[in-house]
Amino acid sequence: MTATLSDNDNAVTDLPSDAPPVPEGATMVTVKIERFNPEVDEDLHWESYRVPAMPTDRVLNMLHYIKWYIDGTLTFRRSCAHGVCGSDAMRINGVNRLACKVLMKDMFAKSGETTLTVEPIKGLSVEKDLLVDMEPFFEAYKAIKPYLVTTGNDPSRERTQSVAERERFDDTTKCILCAACTTSCPVYWSEGSYFGPAAIVNAHRFIFDSRDEAAEERLDILNDIDGVWRCRTTFNCTDACPQGIQVTKAIQEVKRALMFRRR
Amino acid sequence: MTTTEAPLSVDKPRSSTRPAARRSNFELYSWVFMRLSGVVLLFLVLGHMLIMLFLDGGVHRINFAFVAGRWASPFWQLWDLTMLWLAGLHGGNGLRTVINDYSRTNVTRFWLKILLYCSILLTVVLGTYVIFTFNPNIG
C-alpha cells in the first residue's frame, strides 16, 4: 500500500477491512505523518491516516495501528515502548516527545476533529519516515568520553561516595540518549557540529562525579567553539527531556565550572 | 531499487571524527565579554540617548557647536570612546556568532567574517580617530 507522492498528499486513508473492531469509547483522529522513502521520494511529504484512539492510548499506539493495519511501510524506531530505551523520540505536534510517553487524551482537540502531526526529529538526516541517522548524535556523545576515567591502581574496595557527592550529578544520570533535547535545540538545527545538550549532559554526569579524574579534559573539550558557549539558553532542551532532566541548568553548571575552574 | 550507503558495521568505533580541543579560552572570554559589555552599554547607550534626545531641548539643540562643546570635555570624549568600542565589539561579536550559526559552508563563513571584521575595524578606528582629532575650529 505504498502511497504515491503528489496525488495522495493530503488524502485520508480510511479504515482497512482487516482492522480489528473499533473499541467502545474510541474517537477517530487524523494522524498526519511526515514521510520519506529514499527509494521513491525526492522529498519529505505529509500523509494523513484515520485512526481510532482510546484516551488511554499513546501516540505510539497510533503509529502501530497505521503500521499494522494501514501501511506496513511506515518506518520508525521503538523498542521497549515504555519510556526507558529512548528509541522513539519524534516531533509530535511540533514538540519533541517520546511517542510512548504521550497519552492520546492529552492530544484530543477541545472541540472538533483532532489532528495529530508527527515528524522526525530535526537536525539529523532522515533515512526513512521517522527514522533518522543518529550517528552524528552518538559521535558527539563519544567525543566527551562518557565513561569513568581514573589513574593509578584499582582500589581493593569499591569507590565510595558520600550522599552529597552522589547527589551532585544525580539529575544528569537519568539521560536515556533519546536525542529529544539535542534535536530540539535551534543551534543544533543550524550547525550540526555543536555538541548539543545531550553530550553536555553526559559530560556533566562525569565532570561532577567525585570519583572521576578526567573533568579537566572534558571541560577543555566543551570550552571549544562547538562546546557550551554556543548554548543560547532557549530552554528547548529542558522542555523536551522525557526524563525531566534540567538540561539547561546542567549546561550552565558546566559554563560556571569552566569560568571558575571549580566544581 | 537503491541500497543505503550507510555501512552495516562500525569500522573503528573509538576513532573520533571531531578535531581535538584547541585548549583556547577565546569562546569563554567572548561569552564573558558579551555579558559585561552588555551591562555597561545599557548605561552608556541609555544615558547617551537621554542626553541627546530628551533633556534640555533634546534633539533640537544638537548642532556643530553642541558636539564641539561636549567633546571639549575629556569626560564626554571618554564616554563616547567607551561606547564606540564596546558597541562595535559587542555587536561584532554577536554577529560573529550569528554567522557561525547560520553559514551553510565554510567558504561563506570565512568571507562573511572577513567582511564583518573589516567593517568593525573601519568603524572603530575611524570613530576613535574623529574623537581624538576633532577640531572645533573648522566649523
Side-chain angles (χ1 to χ4, degrees):
Chain A
M1 232 183 152
T2 318
T4 52
L5 241 179
S6 50
D7 311 358
N8 270 357
D9 249 10
N10 283 312
V12 172
T13 318
D14 279 313
L15 280 189
S17 51
D18 59 340
V22 175
E24 205 177 321
T27 319
M28 291 305 287
V29 299
T30 304
V31 182
K32 205 174 150 204
I33 302 178
E34 193 171 50
R35 300 202 54 182
F36 174 67
N37 180 351
E39 288 172 3
V40 281
D41 300 336
E42 279 177 13
D43 213 346
L44 306 169
H45 62 278
W46 292 94
E47 299 238 1
S48 295
Y49 306 89
R50 296 272 293 160
V51 180
M54 294 294 283
T56 49
D57 272 339
R58 303 154 302 163
V59 171
L60 184 64
N61 297 98
M62 305 295 103
L63 299 178
H64 277 157
Y65 190 94
I66 295 165
K67 186 169 178 66
W68 293 341
Y69 306 116
I70 303 176
D71 184 353
T73 66
L74 179 67
T75 305
F76 55 90
R77 281 194 185 95
R78 71 101 173 81
S79 186
C80 77
H82 290 81
V84 180
C85 72
S87 302
D88 59 351
M90 46 192 78
R91 212 167 139 86
I92 299 165
N93 280 357
V95 286
N96 282 4
R97 295 284 182 265
L98 295 184
C100 57
K101 283 192 83 172
V102 180
L103 281 178
M104 283 310 293
K105 71 178 165 80
D106 301 323
M107 294 287 114
F108 288 148
K110 295 274 185 299
S111 60
E113 176 82 359
T114 299
T115 304
L116 188 76
T117 64
V118 183
E119 300 157 74
I121 44 179
K122 292 174 75 161
L124 296 166
S125 58
V126 177
E127 305 226 301
K128 191 182 179 189
D129 295 340
L130 302 172
L131 189 131
V132 298
D133 178 18
M134 296 283 281
E135 212 37 56
F137 172 80
F138 286 119
E139 187 258 314
Y141 170 66
K142 278 182 253 175
I144 54 93
K145 301 180 190 291
Y147 39 81
L148 186 78
V149 179
T150 58
T151 52
N153 297 328
D154 283 341
S156 50
R157 299 181 299 125
E158 62 183 304
R159 298 172 203 272
T160 52
Q161 234 175 358
S162 73
V163 174
E165 281 169 340
R166 177 61 178 73
E167 180 64 29
R168 183 69 193 86
F169 61 93
D170 186 67
D171 200 35
T172 45
T173 60
K174 298 171 190 162
C175 180
I176 56 173
L177 294 170
C178 66
C181 61
T182 294
T183 57
S184 74
C185 174
V187 181
Y188 192 79
W189 294 338
S190 56
E191 181 51 287
S193 60
Y194 173 46
F195 273 93
I200 300 171
V201 158
N202 285 281
H204 178 284
R205 184 252 172 272
F206 286 99
I207 288 169
F208 293 93
D209 187 335
S210 59
R211 299 164 294 188
D212 188 86
E213 291 171 32
E216 285 296 319
E217 200 182 332
R218 290 192 192 92
L219 285 174
D220 276 339
I221 294 168
L222 292 178
N223 197 18
D224 215 342
I225 187 159
D226 292 322
V228 287
W229 307 113
R230 282 218 122 144
C231 166
R232 309 274 189 278
T233 54
T234 57
F235 282 88
N236 277 18
C237 49
T238 304
D239 180 56
C241 181
Q243 295 293 88
I245 301 172
Q246 299 296 305
V247 183
T248 314
K249 187 183 174 204
I251 299 174
Q252 295 300 89
E253 284 177 354
V254 174
K255 284 183 190 167
R256 190 185 301 162
L258 271 167
M259 273 176 71
F260 303 109
R261 288 284 168 172
R262 188 170 63 210
R263 282 168 288 141
Chain B
M1 190 86 172
T2 53
T3 48
T4 44
E5 271 100 57
L8 291 171
S9 62
V10 182
D11 194 17
K12 289 176 188 159
R14 281 184 188 82
S15 65
S16 174
T17 52
R18 277 176 184 274
R22 292 174 304 176
R23 294 188 163 269
S24 141
N25 278 329
F26 178 76
E27 292 296 325
L28 185 154
Y29 293 141
S30 91
W31 187 88
V32 174
F33 170 76
M34 288 306 264
R35 268 91 201 140
L36 297 181
S37 61
V39 174
V40 178
L41 276 171
L42 207 61
F43 291 101
L44 291 179
V45 173
L46 288 182
H48 179 82
M49 286 171 70
L50 189 72
I51 295 163
M52 290 304 191
L53 303 181
F54 296 104
L55 294 184
D56 199 21
V59 71
H60 301 294
R61 78 201 140 118
I62 295 182
N63 52 28
F64 188 86
F66 179 78
V67 177
R70 262 167 67 88
W71 276 351
S73 147
F75 175 79
W76 293 116
Q77 271 191 327
L78 187 69
W79 180 300
D80 282 0
L81 187 74
T82 320
M83 195 164 66
L84 172 74
W85 276 74
L86 288 184
L89 295 179
H90 183 98
N93 194 30
L95 260 178
R96 182 184 69 90
T97 59
V98 172
I99 291 171
N100 273 341
D101 277 359
Y102 286 94
S103 303
R104 299 256 170 125
T105 65
N106 281 334
V107 181
T108 334
R109 187 170 291 128
F110 174 80
W111 286 110
L112 283 177
K113 279 204 222 171
I114 293 287
L115 187 69
L116 173 71
Y117 295 151
C118 288
S119 42
I120 298 171
L121 201 71
L122 190 74
T123 322
V124 170
V125 169
L126 196 65
T128 312
Y129 177 73
V130 170
I131 290 175
F132 281 121
T133 60
F134 179 73
N135 179 5
N137 300 321
I138 54 168

